[in-house]
Amino acid sequence: MKLVIAVVQDKDSNRLSNALIKEGFRATKLASTGGFLRAGNTTFIIGTEDERVNEALQIIKDNCKIREQVVTPVSPMGGTTDSYIPFPVEVQVGGAAVFVLPVEQFEHF
């Protein structure tokens, strides 16, 4: 048995949740925050049999897309804002960070 943890952008959360349910995967969704932009995201926790891990990974890959987003950097801490002129920067956001962990024991009460 494996534990799949996928951190995805909020924009992909509903689409991924629906796709996982459609294919018979059970997942727990957690609201989370982090990353470069400190933006909201969703963490999916999925327990599955070893032979279905690749199927779960493909569903995540198909439903979580990388996007380009223009952001304006925050002014440097401790610096003077008089000389700081923020220029918009294009960054990649989205996609999924996925971890697959072995499960030693699983109990359901």
Side-chain angles (χ1 to χ4, degrees):
M1 179 156 230
K2 300 288 188 209
L3 181 67
V4 179
I5 301 172
V7 182
V8 304
Q9 191 176 29
D10 280 341
K11 290 181 181 179
D12 296 326
S13 176
N14 286 335
R15 183 174 51 250
L16 177 58
S17 180
N18 291 336
L20 288 169
I21 290 168
K22 180 180 176 186
E23 296 301 322
F25 287 95
R26 297 172 130 194
T28 299
K29 286 173 50 172
L30 303 172
S32 50
T33 305
F36 172 69
L37 300 176
R38 293 181 180 87
N41 49 43
T42 303
T43 300
F44 285 83
I45 301 175
I46 307 160
T48 189
E49 298 80 16
D50 290 353
E51 58 272 3
R52 292 198 72 197
V53 170
N54 287 335
E55 183 183 352
L57 293 176
Q58 190 61 50
I59 292 169
I60 295 167
K61 184 177 179 180
D62 290 345
N63 288 280
C64 300
K65 304 298 180 198
I66 294 176
R67 301 170 184 79
E68 299 291 327
Q69 181 174 327
V70 177
V71 297
T72 303
V74 180
S75 64
M77 295 298 290
T80 62
T81 57
D82 297 340
S83 62
Y84 180 72
I85 302 172
F87 291 101
V89 178
E90 193 170 279
V91 296
Q92 288 187 339
V93 297
V98 183
F99 305 88
V100 179
L101 308 167
V103 175
E104 277 189 37
Q105 183 175 345
F106 170 75
E107 302 290 337
H108 186 192
F109 302 106

